[in-house]
Amino acid sequence: MTRSVLKRRQLLELLGIGAGSTAAVLLLPQLEAGGSGTTGKAALPFRPVRAPLPLPGDGLGAADQRRLYRSFKVEDKLLVPEGYRAELIAVWGDPLAQGRFGFNNDYLAFQPLADARALLSINFEYISPQTWAAGFAEAVGSPLPLEPLRQALASRGGSVDVASLAANDPLRPLIETVASAAMADLGIGVIELEQGPAGWRRRGGSRYERRIDGLSGLNEPRQTLRCSGPAAAVFRHSQPLGYRDGLGDQIIGTFANCAGGTTPWGTVLSAEENFQSQVAEAVHADGSASSPQAKPFRWDGARLDGLGNPFRLAGNKYGWMVEFDPRDPNSAVVKHSMLGRFRHEAVAVVARAGEPLVVYSGCDRHGGHLYRFVSDAPVRDRRDPANSNLLTAGRLEVARFNVAGSGSWIALEPETAVQPKPPSHYERFGWQQPTVLPHGDRQRSGSEALGSDVDLQAYCGRYKTLGDLYPLGGAGIDAKLRQQGAILIDAHLAANAAGATACPRPEDTDIDPINGDLLIAFTAAGRDEGGSSDPAIFRGPKGETLWPHGWVMRLSDGDSTRGSNFRWRMVASGGLPWEGGLGFSHPDNLAFDPAGNLWLVSDRSGDADLDVFGNNSCWLLPRAGALAGKALCFAIGPVGCELCGPCFDEGFRTLFMAVQHPGEGQGVRQGKEVEAQSHSLVDRSGQRFEQLRWVPLGSNWPSGVPARPPRPGVVAIRRLDGKPLLG
């Protein structure tokens, strides 16, 4: 596969026009490639939306694939099948409780009420600086001093530790204004919906409305979040090795809220993922935070991060799983430390009467891990709200995968042996990949990378158990709680030390409603300075050790006893069809419908090598029948966006999705500008051909008005005839 942005001479040659002709200038705005059409035949009530490349399930012969896909026009719209309609439910800037509907909506949780009403909980993940800055004044109704602040920070390299500024420094109010506005656009929201003849719509002025943002509790102490489990003892400790915010086990706000899950007893779990962009991630051996100065505030026109710095937020209080009750806007919001602190992307809950509560989650980073929490006490009634208490005591485990399709769980406890994967393991695959572990100088925070087996052996000689790495700081029950709390706070590095398998960015986890298996979306096998996935376990369709398109894994877990085993197998692979993939790249959020069909949305990055896949999209993977094993494109998002949080209403008549970060990368589309791309594709007979593709430069979604900034929002998709989505 090749992709290139065409220069004028190349464009004219591909169109069959002489280089001296002006016909291409006249032809450009008239080209209609049918990008929004549908194609293919299926035993379903819809014809799949036409994807930008030939697919095994498109129902076309090789000649028709070459003819139809020879040109393609990408659209800055949310495309759904004929006979379906997508309606905007809420958009960034809409009033919500005492705040506003936030930016970059992600996970969605639909929960029915009586009388054709329902609640929709929404995560607001992060700020896309370019489109946020361009659209803030319109969305919120007032401008921000972004340009004066950028200019003022330019001489400092674009960043500053706010605590180093004098109290009367004019930078302070500028920074606090911008940082507060950004934090107000992050976190969690709850809105109420009502159903009418035309489908679901937002119900204004609802008593259920709630907004929990990045600074909740800063000025209103009664709004602070709570911490449960052993980490609370760390937060309360009066003599830490590192930074202490003085709030004890109370926490200011939540942010980086990515995926999530709904519990059988009606609460919602919200996953704090890339918190390291806003606060310092590294911690000390006792679990205490690094100084806020380790993550200074930055605004240079391209990056806006370090938002916790102006408010001296403690980094060890972020990266948790957050539980709240959408039906009670006055209830406490709790971060459950027994579920571990890492870059949480998802959560799946198994609650069976008479058995321990089990919770699965993944850490979305190169070399991240798959985790399982098992409660000490059993579930009595899976719908009992008291089940939240089960999340406060138990054990956190991490997965070790074996090549033969088996695996086991390792408890992250003081007694667990230190036995990390050595650098020589990766050398067998031609990689130089150091082993990243808690720093060997336990008076220092963070990690160190060991590049040789000799260095690793010396490390393991000093630290034989996790209890050696996170030593007991005193006597008594509270000291033991602090020790376990430190391990949970530093869960990723502790898991590295315990020998957990490094995974390719585990994104979502979901329980199969038919047989109880765990489905896991692994977004991409890549590498960075922090780690890589294990090439012995995660291989592409033809054995590739680096596969940038991801997989879906089916994991059949055993019982919940300590050290129990599981079986696993890959059931779907991203990638180009002629390379062994199903036609999408970077699987992200998953959702099962009532019949057990799997719905999947993609989150490919802006890497030019991935442009062949077009805009991010939503796919249906049928469970059974003639179409089982194929991926059917159900929706394609606007330019630069990611589709997130797919969920269904109770009658399976509506699919809710979040349209996140439209225009990210290119920004605001100013007119009708397009980029011409050339892609080398392969038809079903194996014959290669060239595609000319027209791609809008930026986005104006949802307004569609040129030069108007795009805004993230939530949509409801339904059939025009009112029947179930696949009925």
Side-chain angles (χ1 to χ4, degrees), residues 266-315:
T267 61
V268 173
L269 297 171
S270 175
E272 295 180 333
E273 188 197 3
N274 286 312
F275 64 97
Q276 77 285 351
S277 297
Q278 311 307 342
V279 292
E281 183 175 27
V283 296
H284 290 268
D286 64 351
S288 58
S290 297
S291 168
Q293 71 181 23
K295 190 66 181 179
F297 173 85
R298 171 174 287 277
W299 168 241
D300 56 10
R303 290 175 54 194
L304 177 64
D305 51 34
L307 296 176
N309 180 275
F311 312 104
R312 312 300 288 167
L313 301 184

Side-chain angles (χ1 to χ4, degrees), residues 95-276:
L96 174 53
Q98 285 70 49
R100 59 179 175 265
F101 195 87
F103 197 80
N104 276 348
N105 29 225
D106 199 302
Y107 173 74
L108 306 175
F110 177 92
Q111 294 171 297
L113 300 171
D115 303 322
R117 296 177 299 120
L119 298 180
L120 191 69
S121 299
I122 310 104
N123 280 354
F124 304 112
E125 186 182 5
Y126 71 102
I127 300 297
S128 303
Q130 187 179 16
T131 52
W132 184 77
F136 187 90
E138 177 185 317
V140 179
S142 59
L144 283 174
L146 290 165
E147 182 56 22
L149 178 57
R150 186 195 66 79
Q151 294 178 8
L153 287 173
S155 63
R156 300 172 180 265
S159 67
V160 66
D161 174 27
V162 177
S164 69
L165 300 174
N168 61 350
D169 193 304
L171 264 178
R172 278 185 174 268
L174 292 177
I175 291 173
E176 290 176 4
T177 297
V178 170
S180 296
M183 284 293 214
D185 273 330
L186 305 179
I188 299 165
V190 179
I191 62 175
E192 184 178 348
L193 306 177
E194 59 184 1
Q195 191 174 32
W200 292 99
R201 64 180 182 182
R202 184 175 173 189
R203 188 169 189 259
S206 169
R207 67 182 180 88
Y208 293 105
E209 284 194 357
R210 190 174 192 181
R211 194 65 176 84
I212 309 157
D213 65 27
L215 295 178
S216 289
L218 181 68
N219 298 316
E220 290 286 342
R222 62 184 180 84
Q223 296 178 359
T224 55
L225 284 66
R226 290 177 37 228
C227 173
S228 78
V234 174
F235 300 155
R236 290 191 298 263
H237 191 43
S238 61
Q239 295 180 312
L241 291 173
Y243 174 72
R244 180 170 179 260
D245 64 6
L247 297 174
D249 55 12
Q250 301 298 296
I251 301 173
I252 301 298
T254 180
F255 46 82
N257 305 81
C258 191
T262 304
T263 69
W265 55 94
T267 61
V268 173
L269 297 171
S270 175
E272 295 180 333
E273 188 197 3
N274 286 312
F275 64 97
Q276 77 285 351

Side-chain angles (χ1 to χ4, degrees), residues 484-514:
Q484 182 63 62
I487 293 172
L488 296 170
I489 288 170
D490 209 17
H492 174 68
L493 293 180
N496 281 358
T501 298
C503 297
R505 294 185 54 199
E507 291 257 6
D508 207 359
T509 52
D510 213 342
I511 301 297
D512 187 327
I514 306 301

